[in-house]
């Protein structure tokens, strides 16, 4: 399946009463049917510090790719 768009998987939701943004879920939501996705279909390391995930909605088949940067763990 070809990816349709590259999105950030943690899009904040705007609270209309305050205008503040808040995160309700860390799982991506389908832009077509609003179904929540639990697990990526595939993943791939792009560089040493980034990974890409392929998501496919089980309900409608919509697919997209998310890319995340891996931050190094620093111990003090």
């Amino acid at each position: 399946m070809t990816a349709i768009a590259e999105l950030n998987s943690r899009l904040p939701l705007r609270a209309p009463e305050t205008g503040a943004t808040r995160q309700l879920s860390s799982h991506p939501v389908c832009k077509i049917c609003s179904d929540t996705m639990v697990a990526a279909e595939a993943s791939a390391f792009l560089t040493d510090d980034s990974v890409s995930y392929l998501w496919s909605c089980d309900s409608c088949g919509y697919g997209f790719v998310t890319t995340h940067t891996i931050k190094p763990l620093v111990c003090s």
Side-chain angles (χ1 to χ4, degrees), residues 13-76:
L13 300 176
R14 185 167 297 282
E17 63 280 357
T18 63
T21 58
R22 58 191 163 94
Q23 182 66 40
L24 296 179
S25 173
S26 62
H27 299 290
V29 176
C30 178
K31 289 177 63 175
I32 305 300
C33 70
S34 300
D35 192 17
T36 303
M37 292 171 239
V38 178
E41 188 173 320
S43 61
F45 284 99
L46 302 177
T47 62
D48 287 340
D49 64 345
S50 68
V51 63
S52 179
Y53 296 99
L54 171 64
W55 298 91
S56 180
C57 180
D58 290 333
S59 298
C60 70
Y62 176 73
F64 58 94
V65 174
T66 58
T67 303
H68 303 276
T69 302
I70 302 168
K71 297 178 184 176
L73 180 64
V74 178
C75 298
S76 54

